[in-house]
Protein backbone atom coordinates (compact mmCIF):
# COMPACT_ATOMS: atom_id res chain seq x y z
CA UNK A 1 0.00 0.00 0.00
CA UNK A 2 1.38 3.41 -0.96
CA UNK A 3 2.04 6.01 1.71
CA UNK A 4 -0.28 8.99 1.62
CA UNK A 5 1.45 12.12 0.39
CA UNK A 6 2.82 14.46 3.04
CA UNK A 7 2.93 18.11 1.97
CA UNK A 8 5.86 20.43 2.66
CA UNK A 9 6.10 24.18 2.14
CA UNK A 10 9.13 26.42 2.54
CA UNK A 11 10.26 29.97 1.82
CA UNK A 12 13.45 31.84 0.90
CA UNK A 13 14.36 35.28 -0.41
CA UNK A 14 15.08 35.71 -4.12
CA UNK A 15 17.71 38.37 -4.75
CA UNK A 16 16.14 41.17 -6.77
CA UNK A 17 19.02 41.30 -9.25
CA UNK A 18 18.76 37.52 -9.89
CA UNK A 19 15.05 37.13 -10.64
CA UNK A 20 15.41 36.66 -14.40
CA UNK A 21 18.41 34.34 -14.02
CA UNK A 22 16.53 32.21 -11.51
CA UNK A 23 13.47 31.98 -13.74
CA UNK A 24 15.62 31.00 -16.74
CA UNK A 25 17.33 28.29 -14.70
CA UNK A 26 14.01 26.87 -13.58
CA UNK A 27 12.56 26.95 -17.08
CA UNK A 28 15.08 24.18 -17.84
CA UNK A 29 15.83 22.27 -14.66
CA UNK A 30 18.56 19.71 -15.24
CA UNK A 31 17.13 16.22 -15.94
CA UNK A 32 19.42 14.65 -13.31
CA UNK A 33 17.98 16.94 -10.62
CA UNK A 34 14.43 16.01 -11.58
CA UNK A 35 15.34 12.31 -11.67
CA UNK A 36 16.86 12.47 -8.18
CA UNK A 37 13.75 14.15 -6.79
CA UNK A 38 11.55 11.46 -8.33
CA UNK A 39 13.82 8.68 -7.02
CA UNK A 40 13.59 10.28 -3.59
CA UNK A 41 9.79 10.14 -3.64
CA UNK A 42 9.18 13.86 -4.21
CA UNK A 43 6.17 14.71 -6.35
CA UNK A 44 4.41 17.89 -7.42
CA UNK A 45 7.42 20.08 -6.54
CA UNK A 46 6.41 23.65 -7.31
CA UNK A 47 8.07 27.03 -6.72
CA UNK A 48 6.16 30.33 -6.69
CA UNK A 49 7.61 33.86 -6.73
CA UNK A 50 6.11 36.89 -4.98
CA UNK A 51 7.79 39.89 -6.58
CA UNK A 52 6.37 42.39 -4.06
CA UNK A 53 7.85 40.50 -1.10
CA UNK A 54 10.93 39.20 -2.88
CA UNK A 55 10.16 35.68 -1.74
CA UNK A 56 10.05 32.22 -3.25
CA UNK A 57 7.57 29.72 -1.85
CA UNK A 58 8.03 26.03 -2.56
CA UNK A 59 5.56 23.21 -2.20
CA UNK A 60 6.20 19.50 -2.60
CA UNK A 61 4.49 16.26 -1.79
CA UNK A 62 6.44 13.34 -0.35
CA UNK A 63 5.19 9.80 -0.97
CA UNK A 64 7.99 7.74 0.58
CA UNK A 65 8.37 6.18 4.00
CA UNK A 66 11.80 7.52 5.09
CA UNK A 67 11.93 11.28 4.54
CA UNK A 68 15.32 11.76 6.22
CA UNK A 69 16.99 9.09 4.07
CA UNK A 70 15.40 10.37 0.87
CA UNK A 71 16.43 13.97 1.59
CA UNK A 72 19.97 12.79 2.40
CA UNK A 73 20.06 11.08 -1.01
CA UNK A 74 19.08 14.40 -2.61
CA UNK A 75 21.70 16.30 -0.60
CA UNK A 76 24.43 13.75 -1.42
CA UNK A 77 23.69 13.67 -5.15
CA UNK A 78 26.56 15.31 -7.11
CA UNK A 79 24.31 16.62 -9.89
CA UNK A 80 21.97 18.20 -7.35
CA UNK A 81 24.94 19.76 -5.53
CA UNK A 82 26.11 21.29 -8.82
CA UNK A 83 22.57 22.60 -9.42
CA UNK A 84 22.54 24.16 -5.97
CA UNK A 85 25.88 25.88 -6.71
CA UNK A 86 24.18 27.61 -9.64
CA UNK A 87 21.00 28.50 -7.72
CA UNK A 88 22.41 29.52 -4.32
CA UNK A 89 23.79 32.90 -5.47
CA UNK A 90 20.24 33.84 -6.47
CA UNK A 91 18.87 33.21 -2.99
CA UNK A 92 19.20 34.65 0.51
CA UNK A 93 18.02 32.35 3.30
CA UNK A 94 15.90 33.84 6.08
CA UNK A 95 18.40 32.52 8.64
CA UNK A 96 21.63 30.69 7.89
CA UNK A 97 25.17 30.41 9.17
CA UNK A 98 28.09 28.63 7.58
CA UNK A 99 28.70 27.32 4.08
CA UNK A 100 25.78 26.83 1.68
CA UNK A 101 24.28 23.37 1.15
CA UNK A 102 26.31 22.77 -2.02
CA UNK A 103 29.46 23.00 0.11
CA UNK A 104 28.23 20.75 2.89
CA UNK A 105 26.41 23.32 5.00
CA UNK A 106 23.70 21.90 7.24
CA UNK A 107 20.42 23.43 8.22
CA UNK A 108 17.35 24.91 6.58
CA UNK A 109 18.41 26.90 3.50
CA UNK A 110 14.72 27.07 2.59
CA UNK A 111 12.80 27.87 5.81
CA UNK A 112 10.10 25.26 6.48
CA UNK A 113 6.55 26.49 6.94
CA UNK A 114 3.72 25.01 8.99
CA UNK A 115 0.67 23.89 7.06
CA UNK A 116 -2.40 25.83 8.23
CA UNK A 117 -5.03 24.43 5.88
CA UNK A 118 -5.63 21.70 3.34
CA UNK A 119 -8.97 20.96 1.70
CA UNK A 120 -8.69 17.26 2.50
CA UNK A 121 -8.59 16.02 -1.09
CA UNK A 122 -5.55 13.86 -1.83
CA UNK A 123 -3.67 13.94 -5.08
CA UNK A 124 -5.38 11.70 -7.61
CA UNK A 125 -2.38 9.63 -8.70
CA UNK A 126 1.37 9.31 -8.72
CA UNK A 127 3.44 7.03 -10.88
Amino acid sequence: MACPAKRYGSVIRLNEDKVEEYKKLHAQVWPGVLARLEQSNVRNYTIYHCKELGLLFSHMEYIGSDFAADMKAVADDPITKDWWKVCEPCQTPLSWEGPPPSKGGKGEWWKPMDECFHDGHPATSYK
Side-chain angles (χ1 to χ4, degrees):
M1 178 181 222
C3 295
K6 178 157 175 44
R7 294 170 302 280
Y8 291 88
S10 57
V11 65
I12 196 167
R13 289 182 188 94
L14 179 60
N15 298 331
E16 191 175 336
D17 61 331
K18 299 286 189 173
V19 171
E20 291 309 312
E21 178 181 348
Y22 190 83
K23 287 183 177 183
K24 285 179 185 174
L25 285 167
H26 285 79
Q28 296 183 7
V29 176
W30 301 348
V33 172
L34 297 174
R36 177 70 263 165
L37 289 171
E38 184 175 358
Q39 292 162 9
S40 292
N41 297 302
V42 173
R43 302 294 186 272
N44 199 25
Y45 195 106
T46 309
I47 300 174
Y48 300 90
H49 175 231
C50 179
K51 182 179 179 180
E52 292 77 14
L53 297 176
L55 295 175
L56 295 172
F57 163 73
S58 73
H59 167 267
M60 69 176 200
E61 295 171 0
Y62 177 72
I63 61 168
S65 59
D66 191 342
F67 185 74
D70 280 332
M71 294 305 101
K72 183 175 181 342
V74 171
D76 291 344
D77 179 61
I79 295 171
T80 299
K81 282 185 181 181
D82 286 344
W83 174 254
W84 289 349
K85 286 177 191 172
V86 174
C87 294
E88 287 165 348
C90 298
Q91 304 165 335
T92 300
L94 300 183
S95 59
W96 184 268
E97 293 183 21
S102 67
K103 296 184 178 171
K106 304 290 183 207
E108 298 169 338
W109 186 258
W110 283 74
K111 186 72 171 169
M113 299 168 62
D114 293 330
E115 183 177 295
C116 295
F117 171 78
H118 183 262
D119 68 4
H121 295 286
T124 56
S125 68
Y126 291 111
K127 294 183 181 184

